[in-house]
Amino acid sequence: MTYRPTAPGDKAGLVVFQNEEYYYFLGVTQVDRKVVIQLQQRAGSRAGPVSVVVASAPLTSRPDAPLYLKIQAKGGTYDFYYATRPNDWILLKGGADGTLLSTKIAGGF
């Protein structure tokens, strides 16, 4: 993908989604006027603050340069990768708990 956020809160990327309350978001966003690749986890109800940043890394590539994203499932875990060149994957977060997306925990779609 090619995307550069212009304001805080702007973001684009991939989501591993169970429902509106249980998901992982891997993508590009803006934090403190800097463009970053970020992994966010949401797990819980609308009653409280349940979105957390699990991992983050600065992006220093050109604004028009493509960014590659990959999510790899391994049993009950997920690995989240990004790359600024084809097939040159950088692990952002490995072994993230995938059970929070299960119907047993999240309650289904």
Side-chain angles (χ1 to χ4, degrees), residues 25-66:
F25 165 78
L26 173 66
V28 179
T29 190
Q30 189 183 106
V31 176
D32 297 328
R33 298 184 181 200
K34 295 178 183 166
V35 178
V36 298
I37 182 81
Q38 195 173 75
L39 176 62
Q40 298 173 351
Q41 175 192 32
R42 182 164 176 96
S45 70
R46 295 181 184 151
V50 292
S51 267
V52 296
V53 174
V54 177
S56 183
L59 276 181
T60 56
S61 58
R62 298 182 336 263
D64 62 340

Side-chain angles (χ1 to χ4, degrees), residues 61-105:
S61 58
R62 298 182 336 263
D64 62 340
L67 178 69
Y68 304 89
L69 303 173
K70 178 170 80 167
I71 302 171
Q72 188 172 34
K74 292 182 178 179
T77 65
Y78 290 97
D79 293 340
F80 296 88
Y81 298 87
Y82 70 99
T84 55
R85 292 184 303 230
N87 298 314
D88 191 14
W89 297 110
I90 299 165
L91 179 65
L92 183 63
K93 173 70 177 164
D97 182 13
T99 62
L100 68 96
L101 303 178
S102 69
T103 55
K104 182 177 181 180
I105 292 174

